Amino acid sequence: MKYSLDKILLEIHNKEDKILSQSKRLIDEAYEMTLYLQDLLGSVKKYLIEEGFKNDEEEIRFFRSIKPQILGKLIYYNKIYRIETTCPVSNGKMYYNYFSGQLANLKREYTEHLCNSDFYRYYRSGRTDRDDTYFKRGNINYHDGLNSIVFEIDPEFSTFFDYKTARIISNELLYTYLLTKINPDENPDVILQKPESSKDIFWTDTKNAIIELIYALYASGVISHGKIGIRKISLMFQILFRIPLGDLHHAFHRMKTRSGSRTSFLDQLKFSLEEYMDKDL
């Protein structure tokens, strides 16, 4: 197919990197990603309806791995936009209570609709023996008492369980996002409160660059003999440079799968240092 998993992920990652590098407000980032993913999903659907699948294996791979990545991210960014645009204040007790309530809602939804299902256990275990049932179209069993959304899906572009997979993906991303909102140590509004005397120190490269540096320091164990966690290292950098980094693990995952050099910033640091050394010769 034209839309391979690697190509889809690369397109999404490149778009996310481009938006994040522009240092926009989270609301703006979420809105732009929502529009982009909605358009991407529509393009994939149009192509699929016109071209179809070569075989069952290709169909299963699409509905198990490709479509849920697009739809899961779409649900995630749309939810962030909704949460951020209805947040009552920028900090304080009301702010904390608001995001704590959002986290409680997410946990309740997870308990009621995901974790106790046979499919959730199947997907989490990495099994593939029932993929023919879950990820091929035309196999919806209404005797299972499925969620009412099953009546709204397009049977030509969904097996219903691709939607369930997307919800699992989006919930995981939302969980991490909400944790950073209710944890004061990772709250950007707290992080950015610095003395006036240090406000001339700020990061001028991309967020991905500083995250790459943070993970390199963490992986090498050069800070506190490797006994300090990635979150504390991240917090130090966020305080020093007055930059909120958000979901580190999500960004790091994108680095692991991006094309070209996965350590482009570190490569540039090495080149710059060697070039600087050569000037003194």
Side-chain angles (χ1 to χ4, degrees):
M1 284 185 65
K2 173 184 176 183
Y3 289 98
S4 68
L5 177 59
D6 292 339
K7 183 177 180 181
I8 289 291
L9 292 179
L10 180 59
E11 286 185 13
I12 296 174
H13 295 163
N14 288 342
K15 185 67 175 180
E16 287 178 318
D17 287 345
K18 181 179 179 180
I19 293 175
L20 289 174
S21 68
Q22 296 171 351
S23 299
K24 297 182 177 181
R25 295 184 308 159
L26 183 56
I27 290 176
D28 298 326
E29 292 176 357
Y31 179 71
E32 190 169 339
M33 281 302 300
T34 298
L35 294 182
Y36 163 73
L37 290 165
Q38 186 178 29
D39 182 65
L40 177 61
L41 191 63
S43 298
V44 172
K45 179 178 181 179
K46 183 176 183 294
Y47 176 82
L48 171 62
I49 292 176
E50 292 176 353
E51 301 295 329
F53 297 107
K54 294 179 181 178
N55 48 48
D56 290 348
E57 180 181 354
E58 193 174 72
E59 179 177 1
I60 290 171
R61 177 173 169 78
F62 177 80
F63 287 113
R64 179 183 177 112
S65 302
I66 298 178
K67 184 187 172 187
Q69 286 292 336
I70 306 173
L71 183 57
K73 286 288 187 69
L74 177 56
I75 295 171
Y76 165 67
Y77 279 112
N78 182 59
K79 184 65 174 178
I80 284 184
Y81 180 78
R82 292 172 58 190
I83 291 174
E84 291 286 339
T85 52
T86 56
C87 183
V89 291
S90 60
N91 52 39
K93 185 175 181 180
M94 186 180 294
Y95 175 96
Y96 177 84
N97 290 341
Y98 173 76
F99 282 102
S100 295
Q102 293 291 333
L103 182 60
N105 291 338
L106 184 68
K107 289 180 177 179
R108 183 166 53 251
E109 177 184 318
Y110 164 78
T111 302
E112 293 177 356
H113 301 293
L114 290 177
C115 70
N116 293 322
S117 68
D118 291 337
F119 173 74
Y120 183 81
R121 289 188 288 271
Y122 173 85
Y123 179 77
R124 271 282 171 243
S125 67
R127 289 167 51 191
T128 59
D129 53 288
R130 296 192 64 191
D131 279 3
D132 281 349
T133 299
Y134 288 132
F135 299 111
K136 283 184 62 179
R137 292 165 296 177
N139 292 330
I140 296 175
N141 185 355
Y142 296 95
H143 289 100
D144 290 340
L146 301 174
N147 190 292
S148 296
I149 198 171
V150 72
F151 302 111
E152 301 176 21
I153 65 173
D154 182 351
E156 293 299 314
F157 192 60
S158 180
T159 70
F160 176 64
F161 289 98
D162 59 290
Y163 168 76
K164 298 282 282 187
T165 303
R167 289 296 296 273
I168 294 172
I169 292 171
S170 67
N171 276 27
E172 289 180 347
L173 294 173
L174 284 168
Y175 180 72
T176 301
Y177 155 75
L178 291 172
L179 281 183
T180 65
K181 287 292 186 177
I182 65 175
N183 186 339
D185 289 338
E186 297 180 2
N187 184 340
D189 295 314
V190 175
I191 289 170
L192 296 183
Q193 294 175 4
K194 285 193 61 184
E196 290 292 331
S197 60
S198 60
K199 284 191 175 182
D200 59 335
I201 302 175
F202 53 93
W203 186 259
T204 55
D205 209 309
T206 66
K207 288 184 180 181
N208 281 334
I210 195 172
I211 291 173
E212 189 177 317
L213 177 60
I214 289 170
Y215 268 94
L217 294 172
Y218 171 72
S220 60
V222 295
I223 299 179
S224 300
H225 302 288
K227 296 180 181 180
I228 186 173
I230 190 72
R231 290 186 177 184
K232 286 189 176 181
I233 297 176
S234 166
L235 179 60
M236 289 189 300
F237 275 83
Q238 291 181 79
I239 293 174
L240 176 61
F241 295 115
R242 304 182 66 249
I243 178 173
L245 297 178
D247 186 352
L248 284 183
H249 300 295
H250 183 204
F252 183 63
H253 175 73
R254 292 200 304 270
M255 290 178 191
K256 293 194 296 183
T257 58
R258 67 188 177 189
S259 60
S261 173
R262 297 189 297 177
T263 56
S264 57
F265 178 66
L266 296 180
D267 295 342
Q268 181 59 45
L269 281 183
K270 181 176 181 294
F271 174 80
S272 298
L273 178 58
E274 291 178 341
E275 189 177 48
Y276 183 77
M277 288 176 172
D278 291 339
K279 290 180 180 179
D280 297 332
L281 295 179

